[in-house]
Amino acid sequence: MSPAARPIPTRFTERELMVIAAGREIRDGEMVFVGMRLPLLAFAFAKRTHAPSAIGLFENGIVRDSPAPETLMTMSDTPNIPGAVWSTGTREIMGLLQQGLVDLGFIGGAEIDRHGNLNTNYVGDWRRPRVRLPGSGGGSDIASLSRRFVVIMPQEKHRFRERVDFITSPGFGDGAGWRQRVGLPGGGPSAVITTLAVFRFDPLTAEMVLASYHPGQSVERVRDATGWDLRIAPDVRETPTPSAEEIAIVRACDPLGYWTR
Amino acid sequence: MSPAARPIPTRFTERELMVIAAGREIRDGEMVFVGMRLPLLAFAFAKRTHAPSAIGLFENGIVRDSPAPETLMTMSDTPNIPGAVWSTGTREIMGLLQQGLVDLGFIGGAEIDRHGNLNTNYVGDWRRPRVRLPGSGGGSDIASLSRRFVVIMPQEKHRFRERVDFITSPGFGDGAGWRQRVGLPGGGPSAVITTLAVFRFDPLTAEMVLASYHPGQSVERVRDATGWDLRIAPDVRETPTPSAEEIAIVRACDPLGYWTR
Amino acid sequence: MTGPRESKLLTLREAIARFVPDGSSVCMGTALEAAIPYAAGHEMIRQRRRELTLVGPISDILFDLLVGAGCVSRVVAAWVGNVSAGLGHNYRRACEQGIPGPLAVEDHTNLSLATALLAGAIGAPYIPTRALLGTGLLESNPRFRAGTDPWSGAPVVLVPALTPDVAVLHVQRADAAGHAHAWGTLGVTREAALAARRVIVIADEIRSTDEILSDPNLVLAPPGKIAAVVHEPFGAFPSPLQGFYARDHDFFHRYHDESRTVEGNRAWLERWVLEPSDWKGFLARLGPERLDAIRARTPRPSLPVDLGG
Amino acid sequence: MTGPRESKLLTLREAIARFVPDGSSVCMGTALEAAIPYAAGHEMIRQRRRELTLVGPISDILFDLLVGAGCVSRVVAAWVGNVSAGLGHNYRRACEQGIPGPLAVEDHTNLSLATALLAGAIGAPYIPTRALLGTGLLESNPRFRAGTDPWSGAPVVLVPALTPDVAVLHVQRADAAGHAHAWGTLGVTREAALAARRVIVIADEIRSTDEILSDPNLVLAPPGKIAAVVHEPFGAFPSPLQGFYARDHDFFHRYHDESRTVEGNRAWLERWVLEPSDWKGFLARLGPERLDAIRARTPRPSLPVDLGG
């Protein structure tokens, strides 16, 4: 293909790319613990593309089979209720999660480590924390109980640590077999989507592995923004550049660009 | 008082008398687990007389501060819902009970023994029962968890047994201290109201004691209809004859005489 | 892939054939004496379902009827009989004489059954209770276990979760996708809808999705739980359905009288269950006057909620 | 003896003074980001309440505000911060530097907090969960205990019941006796209403008892739980209330900016909490345009239920 024949790349933001990458993790018909911000847009994106039958759950008690028609700042904003297929309580939604019926959950985190454990409680010793973070919310529950979960977070070296100070949302603990050993029923993290890259987990070592770096990034730049000696997948590649159509869909989901600009 | 001055006694049925005796057990403002049939009428009677602020709970999830305006055959009959102050589920009502918030519960039984234990499961060995009875329903829960409970049942010798074959609804087990020993939080039975008499429990021995025999009955007749060597209260007396006004109120609560005739 | 709003409407015959195979554990009668899915029970008998485990708090005559028809090998319940008349003859015959076949019973109380379904609904393996202590049920139902509250040292009973294969729930109204509205007496209906692996919704009325979702707080269960929706007016007869019809007390008394003997029970099954080919046939046999006599006449609409913004 | 239908209407000042003494455990923010009882929080600050234990899943800025005002000695929560902006400055200052005073925190997750209130609501000492295993919360919150599911041998975490002294619940409407209707986002509201020893209902609208009891299934809690009813329109501002008003996002951002320093926080408290003598004063300071901008405009009434017979 001659350079002239290449399609002119549509410009997109880091966050638009993250939304599309996250959306691709949703399979059709899945029950998805949606959360807010980028995951909510990923759900909207997936619904409009390859996963029209996916169902979204919110920990305040809302279940939707279609994204809310307006941009939400919080999951409890009034536009999120009309059109819901169920409006119930936290306990009922968490019950579905603990029954093992939630296929996929999205969570964020302040810190993550090489085995996918997240910390949103304490930086430093929890008895005398340097930073008191807000806490788990429902993140720990999603990490413990969903059949698989995907992490979405900005990538900075100090947030990508060899070992987190405190496990709020369990990944694979200290490695393979840990989840089974401590009794966690859920499947653990299946991907980490950052501002720089997409990571997956080696099933043998339960260690985070670079699967793809975003357009404009490189293996080296991702390595530099990781706080341990990062393993690289043998088939590492560039994260697929979103198509103009995909970007248009993301923008339709966030017309004001509130979350993606 | 000369015979001529005695008020002419109003005729009443055994069951009318039982309703009035049961109604007297309800104190104003109490939360009462009402059940059906005679206890429901006792609640209606008490509301119209000395306990206008009593609240009635039904295990199907209904809470009422006024009796239903029509005669009910079951607690889930349609007239029992309009006017309810709460219509919820069994779990919520049982939750109030297990919290210790129910002051008084009424239950019936096929068999009772000298310590007030009731059997509504099996006559004979439960592994090969001679008679399979319907079961606990909510009776066992009321007996276990209400602050006190009152039994209403017909009195026949074979139903008043030294020891029941099977404890469905625990009274005082094998005697004083048993409830504490097995861990039951509720206060146990406070009265047994039968077709013949009213019984209470000796706080020292936790044994059923004849407190009063109904008009027309006698200590001897009650003894003959009891399957163990019945203890008689030192101040045993005749159950107060209902006044004409009391009987009129009971009849207003059951205008068709469905439960009391 | 079935979309969450695609129609799951089936006939009762199809729904029972597909989602209640022999050997299923089936939760029914969740609203206590109200909204009992009798139409579904009749269909199970007509399809000669066998080896069912029935789960429910009190079942009025439904469990007794299915036991007498030979559909049931196990009952998990707090009470089985006839609320109007007391004992259930078929239940007694099965427990006492093994007629028409042996019947295993797991004794519950209303609290323990509600607790077991709640545990199933929240995905907990068990929930402790301070009921049941000192009772014979701890022996007759070996599924209960003694435990200790580790904070106080007090004894508790651990009630294991119940997760029936299917809950058959009769409701006032639903849409074709299975978003269901139930009100009035609820009993353990909400817990059962979530504890069961799947739910058959039987509705007296089918409404549009927009109408049902105008009150999403009243919806019973999320789309993933719903296996089928059946439109069956008067499908809870002879039990009552708030806003729709009252209880037909006489039917319970007549069942009690006629099921007293094995022969009488067989005649009852023939006349009321096996000869009608479906529920409409049953209702036709009852006659329109009988239904008119119990039909709700005086509407008492609720103050709506407002989801507006 | 208070009759179950007697009025429990009080002013917010009276209700907080009588039913939220110093040292109380207070459950608030039960509907997550919606229906947060900010008016009640402001009143607690004005009354200089001290040594409160705050209980709630996520509290948006309400817990941060009360912590910064020195009312709180303990927080039992899954998340404390500012949903719009992330961290809560006052919460951080208290946890990291003991400003304005030391703060104990019992870390929860949304599941464990809902489970703890559910246990309180059903009167169970605890409920086991398979969440929390392997997490640091088992260390940082010593109230959790390790346990074993005796059937499977699998590890579980025992979550002890929470029974707050009082739940302060903002709802759409209630009658004067405290029969309350809440809808939309519910979070842990229903569990909190039953787990708490008593409930203060704060309603945007007071309706007649007949209107409220036209839908008894929607009622939150029985009369015995209700301590007081307060009529406080816009009492959940700046959080949203379905059918009444939307969220005022800007207010959260401005709080975040201004509470960044101790001085800024003091100024915020003065301006928005201490200077207004009550909630009406606060609303007046906001100005009617601001309330008009969020007021619900398009009604979306639900299909009523029918309790008729």
Side-chain angles (χ1 to χ4, degrees), chain A residues 59 76 87 98 122 132 141 167, chain D residues 33 96 107 109-110 129 184:
Chain A
E59 55 207 304
S76 306
S87 178
Q98 192 161 230
Y122 300 96
R132 169 72 226 205
D141 307 315
I167 298 182
Chain D
E33 297 94 342
E96 296 166 17
D107 288 311
T109 69
N110 281 345
T129 179

Side-chain angles (χ1 to χ4, degrees), chain D residues 55-139:
Chain D
V55 180
I58 75 161
S59 62
D60 221 333
I61 61 174
L62 177 63
F63 285 12
D64 191 75
L65 185 75
L66 283 158
V67 165
C71 304
V72 186
S73 61
R74 179 175 294 266
V75 164
V76 181
W79 194 96
V80 179
N82 180 324
V83 174
S84 286
L87 296 169
H89 299 299
N90 284 307
Y91 184 60
R92 281 196 60 182
R93 273 192 291 269
C95 291
E96 296 166 17
Q97 306 167 55
I99 296 172
L103 184 68
V105 177
E106 293 178 15
D107 288 311
H108 270 271
T109 69
N110 281 345
L111 184 149
S112 70
L113 197 92
T115 301
L117 289 170
L118 178 62
I122 67 171
Y126 64 91
I127 292 179
T129 179
R130 293 179 292 178
L132 295 169
L133 293 163
T135 71
L137 283 77
L138 297 181
E139 248 185 280

Side-chain angles (χ1 to χ4, degrees), chain A residues 198-202 207-213 219 223 230-237:
Chain A
V198 175
F199 304 83
R200 299 202 180 272
F201 289 83
D202 181 326
E207 184 179 337
M208 208 191 292
V209 173
L210 177 62
S212 74
Y213 47 87
V219 169
R223 239 199 252 274
L230 180 65
R231 282 186 49 206
I232 314 298
D235 59 344
V236 69
R237 54 182 189 136

Side-chain angles (χ1 to χ4, degrees), chain A residues 71-91:
Chain A
T71 303
L72 303 177
M73 300 296 130
T74 84
M75 68 179 84
S76 306
D77 286 3
T78 48
N80 207 25
I81 319 305
V85 298
W86 198 24
S87 178
T88 182
T90 300
R91 187 275 279 177

Side-chain angles (χ1 to χ4, degrees), chain C residues 23-28 50-55 63 71-76 104 106 162 164-166:
Chain C
S24 301
S25 60
V26 189
C27 186
M28 298 194 282
R50 288 294 176 269
E51 302 286 326
L52 298 179
T53 292
L54 299 185
V55 180
F63 285 12
C71 303
V72 186
S73 60
R74 179 175 295 266
V75 164
V76 181
E106 293 179 14
L162 279 168
D165 294 325
V166 61

Side-chain angles (χ1 to χ4, degrees), chain D residues 169-174 201-206 229-233:
Chain D
L169 305 178
H170 193 96
V171 303
Q172 278 92 346
R173 64 192 182 203
V201 169
I202 305 182
D204 251 66
E205 193 169 78
I206 301 294
V229 182
V230 177
H231 183 210
E232 203 65 84

Side-chain angles (χ1 to χ4, degrees), chain B residues 37 59-60 73 76-78 81 87-90 92 98 121-122 127 131-132 134 136-138 141 166-167, chain C residues 33 78-80 83 87 91 96 107 109-111 129-130 133 136 139 155 184-185 187 190-191 242 247 249 300:
Chain B
R37 307 184 184 211
E59 55 206 304
N60 59 359
M73 300 295 130
S76 305
D77 286 3
T78 48
I81 319 305
S87 178
T88 183
T90 300
E92 287 84 352
Q98 193 160 229
N121 277 96
Y122 300 96
R127 290 169 205 80
V131 182
R132 169 72 225 204
S136 158
D141 308 314
F166 186 97
I167 298 182
Chain C
E33 296 94 342
W79 193 95
V80 179
V83 174
L87 297 169
Y91 184 59
E96 296 166 18
D107 288 312
T109 70
N110 282 345
L111 183 148
T129 180
R130 292 180 291 178
L133 293 164
E139 247 185 279
T185 300
R190 291 179 294 197
E191 289 76 14
Q242 202 70 33
R247 189 168 188 267
H249 305 297
R300 296 178 74 117

